[in-house]
Amino acid sequence: MSTAARPDGPGTMAALALGDDALILAQRLGEWAGHAPELEEEVALANIALDLLGQARTLLTLSGDEDELAFRREERDFRNVQLVEQPNGDFAHTIARQLYFSTYQELLYGQLAGGTEPLSALAAKAVKECAYHRDHAEQWTLRLGDGTEESHRRMQTALDALWRYTGELFRPVEGLDVAWDTLEDTWRASVTGIVTQATLTPPEGPQAAPWAAGAGRQGVHTEPFGRLLAEMQHLHRSHPGASW
Amino acid sequence: MTTVLPGHGPEAPGEAETEAFQAVFDAAVAADERIEPRDWMPDAYRATLVRQIAQHAHSEIIGMQPEANWISRAPSLRRKAILLAKVQDEAGHGLYLYSAAETLGTGRDELLDKLHTGRQKYSSIFNYPTLTWADVGAIGWLVDGAAITNQVPLCRCSYGPYARAMIRICKEESFHQRQGYELLLALSRGTEAQKAMAQDAVDRWWWPSLMMFGPPDDESAHSAQSMAWKIKRHSNDELRQRFVDICVPQAESLGLTLPDPELRWNEERGHHDFGPIDWSEFQQVLKGNGPCNEQRISQRRAAHENGAWVREAAAVYAGKHATEHTGARNGEAA
């Protein structure tokens, strides 16, 4: 990694954490293109990916050069939560990931929008996008949970499988002035409400793996993340110094 | 066309009535009026439109694949955003077009089934692979460029819903074409490796793009009738020539060459002459033997089949919901 891409200071670190969340989830959602269950979902998933990519570009630019940061950092330097890097799985897994993340992101940006520049301006704009993303995820959670036996089973499996990555969402991020306890309580009430309405069971069990090394915010990721980066960064890295 | 036809109803019209309807239809087409979904139209006109609109819709959704192939690897975040937006537009075009076909009484499920079982086609150009990043540029510049040349006249097509869909589509296609040109320009002004990548892509996409206009006029099966109905406004060869004339100066501006030693300006004709097209390749690809026919249709089928449980869940959920609402209205337990 070049020195140009090494951000420091709590403000830029916070922007980097949120920027990486948005970038990596956009990368995952982009993988759906051409594979979605129906044409309307091709449009919706690409639309959400585009919103997130737009947020990522603004946030990364607050920390340095967006391409330098996206394409030249090593895995351990990424600060996204592990939830967003989880593979798409079936449509239910993607929706569960969206439900957990977009609910969190909307609440987080809602708080940041009332805070200080430069994040408040971005948050005020992004919070509207997040509300749409959450609504999309909630509608699908309801349809899949309260649809057929198969969709119910798949949605429950997905909610359970991704639950272990939700604890990290509420660990304070340095440089962000956020009431984390309130955020967690509101998130839990919101997610539990929709899951229950969808005739599904709110997952129990641990919300994080017990590991002192930490998780995504400390640059500790899961195995699929290395492959995601290899694919995303390969072309850019193959032509050092080139403009595109 | 807004004429309310005499005796226009659900019963099949008699012979005399059909003749009267035909006369009204012919007059509307001759006067460059639009035919609308509720207007009477000849069965063959309807069938031709469904075939053409379906093929166009299928091309949009199959055409997402070669470009989506590069979304995850786009070399800058700006390029990634542009490409994602473009592929999203194509899904949107598919939606408009399937809706236009629906106004003719043919639903999306039926058309998708015909695509998945090989009974309807999509543009053969998408049976070629995108091997490098520059292919994304070549598709934008050449393939979308050829598509626009074909599609702009369709904005004046005699069938109203198709013409209106095409107006929206052409606006977005012209953005797609410009991004492709601009992508190639960045490469041709870049490093040696980037320029070589751009030239290689143009070399591979040039001839297939010329084939997009369809067989030569004297061998085109559907052209004459479609021209008479004003579904089609210009002949295949006419549009192909227009495209070549547009591309030659653009290639020069890009600093790239076109892979045709016979390509030169013909003062007398006021057009560029170009070399013979290998129609045997076109026929082979059309028959299913192109580099990616199997891959494209397999991915499409897999996406559809893997999504079946999702669509089914949505339908069942909607059904439960509708029952609840009806129940509530009838004063029953919701």
Side-chain angles (χ1 to χ4, degrees), chain B residues 56 163 177 287:
Chain B
H56 190 167
Q177 202 254 353
K287 266 189 218 158

Side-chain angles (χ1 to χ4, degrees), chain A residues 97-164:
Chain A
R97 192 181 60 200
Q98 286 303 114
L99 178 71
Y100 292 157
F101 185 75
S102 60
T103 305
Y104 159 77
Q105 209 193 16
E106 186 188 4
L107 294 169
L108 180 68
Y109 283 172
Q111 289 201 29
L112 294 175
T116 53
E117 290 284 353
L119 285 183
S120 58
L122 169 275
K125 176 173 178 283
V127 75
K128 294 175 198 149
E129 297 168 350
C130 301
Y132 161 74
H133 304 171
R134 180 185 46 75
D135 184 57
H136 174 264
E138 287 184 351
Q139 293 307 316
W140 273 112
T141 302
L142 290 172
R143 288 188 198 109
L144 298 183
D146 194 15
T148 63
E149 227 170 273
E150 180 183 8
S151 70
H152 180 91
R153 176 180 54 74
R154 285 178 184 260
M155 193 64 214
Q156 187 67 57
T157 304
L159 288 169
D160 293 344
L162 292 168
W163 185 248
R164 76 189 66 173

Side-chain angles (χ1 to χ4, degrees), chain B residues 212-242:
Chain B
M212 284 176 68
F213 295 93
D217 293 346
D218 47 11
E219 294 166 28
S220 176
H222 305 291
S223 281
Q225 180 61 72
S226 287
M227 300 265 284
W229 277 330
K230 294 188 181 168
I231 292 173
K232 195 174 164 125
R233 297 272 183 170
H234 305 279
S235 80
N236 294 352
D237 287 330
E238 210 178 315
L239 291 168
R240 187 167 13 247
Q241 180 69 60
R242 187 180 294 177

Side-chain angles (χ1 to χ4, degrees), chain B residues 191-327:
Chain B
T191 64
E192 280 305 308
Q194 285 177 304
K195 185 165 183 184
M197 194 193 282
Q199 183 62 60
D200 169 60
V202 169
D203 289 347
R204 281 182 288 108
W205 287 94
W206 173 249
W207 289 108
S209 300
L210 293 192
M211 296 175 198
M212 284 176 68
F213 295 93
D217 293 346
D218 47 11
E219 294 166 28
S220 176
H222 305 291
S223 281
Q225 180 61 72
S226 287
M227 300 265 284
W229 277 330
K230 294 188 181 168
I231 292 173
K232 195 174 164 125
R233 297 272 183 170
H234 305 279
S235 80
N236 294 352
D237 287 330
E238 210 178 315
L239 291 168
R240 187 167 13 247
Q241 180 69 60
R242 187 180 294 177
F243 177 69
V244 171
D245 290 339
I246 291 170
C247 287
V248 171
Q250 291 181 347
E252 275 167 27
S253 306
L254 282 171
L256 299 172
T257 58
L258 296 171
D260 180 358
E262 296 179 41
L263 190 63
R264 61 179 57 84
W265 177 251
N266 182 326
E267 191 66 52
E268 209 173 297
R269 292 202 307 124
H271 290 293
H272 292 86
D273 290 339
F274 54 96
I277 292 171
D278 180 0
W279 290 110
S280 65
E281 176 177 315
F282 177 77
Q283 292 303 339
Q284 280 298 317
V285 178
L286 203 61
K287 266 189 218 158
N289 299 325
C292 299
N293 298 60
E294 185 54 39
Q295 180 189 332
R296 300 289 183 239
I297 207 69
S298 297
Q299 181 181 323
R300 179 87 270 291
R301 273 195 218 116
H304 192 74
E305 284 161 16
N306 293 338
W309 69 271
V310 177
R311 296 189 301 275
E312 195 191 338
V316 168
Y317 179 82
K320 285 184 194 178
H321 232 57
T323 316
E324 276 171 19
H325 282 295
T326 316

Side-chain angles (χ1 to χ4, degrees), chain A:
Chain A
M1 189 179 77
S2 74
T3 48
R6 186 174 296 279
D8 43 23
T12 51
M13 282 308 289
L16 197 62
L18 303 186
D20 285 349
D21 283 349
L23 173 65
I24 300 307
L25 188 53
Q27 178 75 7
R28 281 293 186 217
L29 290 172
E31 293 171 14
W32 271 105
H35 299 275
E38 61 186 2
L39 213 38
E40 286 79 356
E41 282 310 297
E42 291 283 0
V43 176
L45 294 171
N47 197 42
I48 295 169
L50 272 169
D51 285 345
L52 290 166
L53 188 52
Q55 294 167 13
R57 295 182 65 191
T58 306
L59 286 159
L60 293 182
T61 302
L62 291 174
S63 309
D65 178 86
E66 59 174 17
D67 288 335
E68 193 72 15
L69 287 164
F71 297 104
R72 308 283 301 171
R73 271 183 300 161
E74 300 296 327
E75 179 174 335
R76 292 285 275 104
D77 296 318
F78 276 80
R79 289 291 177 267
N80 55 281
V81 290
Q82 292 179 349
L83 175 65
V84 296
E85 74 204 32
Q86 295 313 305
N88 286 340
D90 66 5
F91 189 68
H93 279 76
T94 290
I95 291 302
R97 192 181 60 200
Q98 286 303 114
L99 178 71
Y100 292 157
F101 185 75
S102 60
T103 305
Y104 159 77
Q105 209 193 16
E106 186 188 4
L107 294 169
L108 180 68
Y109 283 172
Q111 289 201 29
L112 294 175
T116 53
E117 290 284 353
L119 285 183
S120 58
L122 169 275
K125 176 173 178 283
V127 75
K128 294 175 198 149
E129 297 168 350
C130 301
Y132 161 74
H133 304 171
R134 180 185 46 75
D135 184 57
H136 174 264
E138 287 184 351
Q139 293 307 316
W140 273 112
T141 302
L142 290 172
R143 288 188 198 109
L144 298 183
D146 194 15
T148 63
E149 227 170 273
E150 180 183 8
S151 70
H152 180 91
R153 176 180 54 74
R154 285 178 184 260
M155 193 64 214
Q156 187 67 57
T157 304
L159 288 169
D160 293 344
L162 292 168
W163 185 248
R164 76 189 66 173
Y165 300 105
T166 55
E168 191 185 3
L169 300 173
F170 313 109
R171 288 192 198 156
V173 176
E174 203 188 340
L176 291 186
D177 186 18
V178 166
W180 295 97
D181 289 345
T182 312
L183 196 160
E184 180 169 2
D185 291 344
T186 318
W187 181 91
R188 193 176 297 276
S190 174
V191 167
T192 305
I194 282 295
V195 167
T196 309
Q197 193 187 333
T199 74
L200 295 156
T201 310
E204 289 169 10
Q207 282 180 275
W211 195 12
R217 296 282 189 238
Q218 289 75 45
V220 176
H221 295 280
T222 54
E223 287 185 353
F225 188 51
R227 283 189 188 77
L228 177 150
L229 287 187
E231 186 171 337
M232 183 173 86
Q233 296 181 334
H234 158 260
L235 176 59
H236 182 97
R237 285 181 180 238
S238 299
H239 297 264
S243 314
W244 301 94

